[in-house]
Amino acid sequence: MISCATLVKSFGCSYTVRDVIVEYLEASHLLKDSQHGFRTGRWCLTNILVSLDMITEWVHQGEVVDVVFLDFVKAFDKMPHQRLLLKVASLGIGGKLFDWISNWLLNCTQRVCINGIVSVWKLVLSGVPQGSVLGPLVFLIFINDLDLNIHNVLLKFADDTKICSSFGCSYRV
């Protein structure tokens, strides 16, 4: 479990919070290997190379290959805060650090201004602030369990996902 005690005395900086959480998740092997986005040593290129090697091997073995490409539209805007916080807690992030993340997510409001006319303030129930330091990390946490109960190979790069599958047939290359 990770808590505020893990941090330096003051964690007013989002970068410090992000770095501590990333170090904890990586050291504890809590992030799925299928995710290549927003992680050290993993990029779009590593995602492509892993899938290319796997698909090439299947084809050389005479397998039929199916690949489904998914792109979650406005993925960073559609993460329900309560569900996200359940997933954060399920990874062992608790205490004052969990409270800090909760406050960062749950106390957001927004309004619209058009031609000088403003709407009333509304509570934001999903998504993360655009351009935030923690946004990509909490998104990884949110989709980390996407692989569960999937019997095919998943490869993710941020919000883009490939689901790959092969099965034998009599066709040979």
Side-chain angles (χ1 to χ4, degrees):
M1 176 151 168
I2 187 172
S3 68
C4 207
T6 310
L7 298 173
V8 224
K9 291 182 182 177
S10 168
F11 65 94
C13 179
S14 295
Y15 289 100
T16 302
V17 172
R18 181 202 59 199
D19 293 347
V20 168
I21 294 171
V22 166
E23 183 179 322
Y24 164 73
L25 293 174
E26 293 287 0
S28 303
H29 305 286
L30 293 172
L31 292 176
K32 303 281 187 214
D33 286 337
S34 60
Q35 180 58 259
H36 289 253
F38 309 121
R39 295 180 69 188
T40 303
R42 293 168 180 256
W43 311 278
C44 183
L45 180 60
T46 59
N47 181 296
I48 291 169
L49 291 175
V50 167
S51 60
L52 181 62
D53 284 349
M54 179 179 55
I55 292 168
T56 301
E57 179 64 27
W58 287 342
V59 168
H60 282 280
Q61 292 175 2
E63 302 282 321
V64 172
V65 177
D66 292 325
V67 181
V68 176
F69 293 89
L70 305 173
D71 182 12
F72 299 107
V73 178
K74 299 201 179 272
F76 282 71
D77 298 330
K78 294 185 178 179
M79 291 183 286
H81 292 161
Q82 293 300 330
R83 188 174 309 150
L84 173 59
L85 290 172
L86 288 172
K87 291 182 179 200
V88 167
S90 75
L91 293 175
I93 298 170
K96 290 183 181 178
L97 180 56
F98 179 84
D99 294 342
W100 189 90
I101 294 169
S102 296
N103 287 331
W104 176 73
L105 284 172
L106 300 178
N107 295 328
C108 295
T109 56
Q110 67 182 15
R111 67 179 177 176
V112 177
C113 178
I114 301 174
N115 295 329
I117 301 171
V118 294
S119 68
V120 296
W121 287 100
K122 290 286 190 178
L123 190 61
V124 177
L125 302 175
S126 64
V128 294
Q130 295 296 315
S132 64
V133 171
L134 291 177
L137 175 60
V138 294
F139 180 75
L140 291 187
I141 291 171
F142 188 75
I143 66 164
N144 191 50
D145 62 359
L146 189 64
D147 306 45
L148 294 179
N149 299 316
I150 301 293
H151 302 290
N152 300 314
V153 177
L154 259 74
L155 291 168
K156 299 174 279 195
F157 183 81
D159 64 333
D160 296 319
T161 302
K162 288 188 281 291
I163 303 173
C164 307
S165 177
S166 74
F167 58 93
C169 68
S170 58
Y171 173 75
R172 291 281 176 205
V173 177

